[in-house]
Amino acid sequence: MSRRGFGLGAASLLAFGTAARAADFDLVIEGGRVIDPETRVDRPANVGVRGGRIAAISAGALSGGRRIDAKGLVVAPGFIDLHSHAVSDFDMRLKARDGVTTALELEAGGYPIGALGQLGPGRINYGASVGHRAVRVFIATGLQTTVTRPDPDLVTSVLRREAEWAYPRFEGERLKRMQALIREQVAAGGLGIGLMPEYVPGAGRDEVLAVFRTAAELRAPIFVHVRRSASAKDDGPMAAMQEMIADAAATGAPLHICHIGSKSLGAIEPILEMIHGARDRGLDITTEVYPYTAGSTLIGSALFDEGWQERQGADYGDLEWPLTGERLTKEAFDRYRREQPAGWVILHNIPKTTVDRAIADPLVMIASDGVPFVNGRAHPRGAGTFGRVLGHYVRERKLLTLTEAVRKMTLAPAQRLETISPAMKRKGRVQVGCDADLAVFDPATVIDNATFSEPAKPTTGIPYVLVAGVPVVDGSQIAEAALPGRWVRSGAA
């Protein structure tokens, strides 16, 4: 255990004996199984909340105004989703029902980051990285692709101008300007840098290395959707991973590899071996997975450039159009790509064994990669990721323990962000002094209900979710008036 972890653990243990003498609390959670993944506390206790923070964890009775009976339930840190592309209230309601208290857009990011300040209070906490792709779009076209503007007309405009921003090389003054904007935007609140070279084929290896150097200079994590593979077969996906690991080694930049399942496909074993080996030798590398055998992306993106079948190990019939549920043909694919480039498509191409292996690995965090719901339709991962892990992978299949699943969904993502955002040291934990962002769930019944045919069905078995001590899910229902969510920013902001 770290020195810091020992200190907080001691404070929590002290609270068990002394907190009952404290003054009344705003809210008391009584008799739940308290799980704190950092101190490894796992015991029945009462939790007192005051002023948005955890003020007591006690074996004795606590007095307070609002009381929640948590007997038979787990009291865990609220789930932290490092990879979420959706910001609408519809999406955030589903995330809250899934136990999420903080949802962050870190893979794609956005520009300018200050636009997040326009969102104001939300159901849950939110934040974003500075998007390398978004900065490129701005430099080349003047268009601003902020996290707060999922406008399909804007997205269509951006995609129709890919020839200006996605395929040209950035060199000389353009590259220097890009790095300067990234520095400026991290200082303005960006939680690191989002990098997606698969969607920006013109970003050469020299440009990517330059972005890594900027991340290292800022001590900012870089969240990477790796470059396109030449082939999905055999060891084909390894080369793109090797580029990112080499750049991290060369610069010292903190690296987070997004959705390792969809980017490893059949090469999950050697890729995990590379990441573990790099970490064992001192590199700061983390990764994540969503618990589904299908991904989702924009049909008009560069991912579907000619040759995509070989690169993705898939064909037209593996594509699903969520607005209708149809599996695509070449004719349908061409039509949607031409007429609705901003439409989301689901790609069924990830081996089940790959998902299982990643979820069971202690290094791999859980993140949804949830995409925006359109007319109630999208990939179900935006609604059910965390309930699916707890219900299907922990309780039913026993691929990992409950405490390990909680750690991968709370403490691990919080620790990934602590250097860039010290406020994250108060999240992902159930300890005195930490933010009262909590998920209270029934380990015997929690389960995802979202499916590819009914993707917006909320998770059940999570009756209470608190953000800053305020119930946003109360008795398994959304608390309509509760908007305690705030913008999570970099420490420099």
Side-chain angles (χ1 to χ4, degrees), residues 97-98 292 380 383-385 387-388 445-461:
R97 293 287 300 273
D98 202 29
Y292 297 88
T385 287
R388 182 168 177 78
T445 64
V446 60
I447 195 69
D448 64 308
N449 298 298
T451 63
F452 289 101
S453 59
E454 296 184 273
K457 293 187 72 173
T459 292
T460 48

Side-chain angles (χ1 to χ4, degrees), residues 28-46:
V28 174
I29 304 171
E30 295 183 310
R33 176 186 169 187
V34 173
I35 295 179
D36 175 54
E38 185 171 53
T39 62
R40 300 184 183 178
V41 165
D42 183 354
R43 69 186 74 186
N46 303 311

Side-chain angles (χ1 to χ4, degrees), residues 120-168:
R123 304 242 169 237
I124 61 178
N125 301 313
Y126 54 90
S129 68
V130 182
H132 163 263
R133 179 181 63 171
V135 170
R136 242 181 176 262
V137 169
F138 176 72
I139 291 172
T141 70
L143 295 173
Q144 296 184 354
T145 51
T146 70
V147 175
T148 60
R149 294 181 64 193
D151 179 358
D153 291 336
L154 173 63
V155 176
T156 298
S157 296
V158 170
L159 289 172
R160 294 203 188 285
R161 296 179 68 175
E162 278 185 324
E164 298 173 58
W165 61 264
Y167 296 95

Side-chain angles (χ1 to χ4, degrees), residues 211-232:
V211 174
F212 269 79
R213 282 198 301 269
T214 304
E217 167 198 329
L218 300 172
R219 297 185 65 209
I222 185 162
F223 300 89
V224 178
H225 175 126
V226 302
R227 190 180 301 282
R228 60 174 57 165
S229 302
S231 173

Side-chain angles (χ1 to χ4, degrees), residues 26 49-55 426-427 433-437 467-470:
D26 301 332
V49 174
R50 185 189 301 117
R53 302 276 182 90
I54 298 170
R426 299 195 307 270
K427 299 188 186 296
C434 288
D435 295 343
D437 293 354
V467 175
V470 177

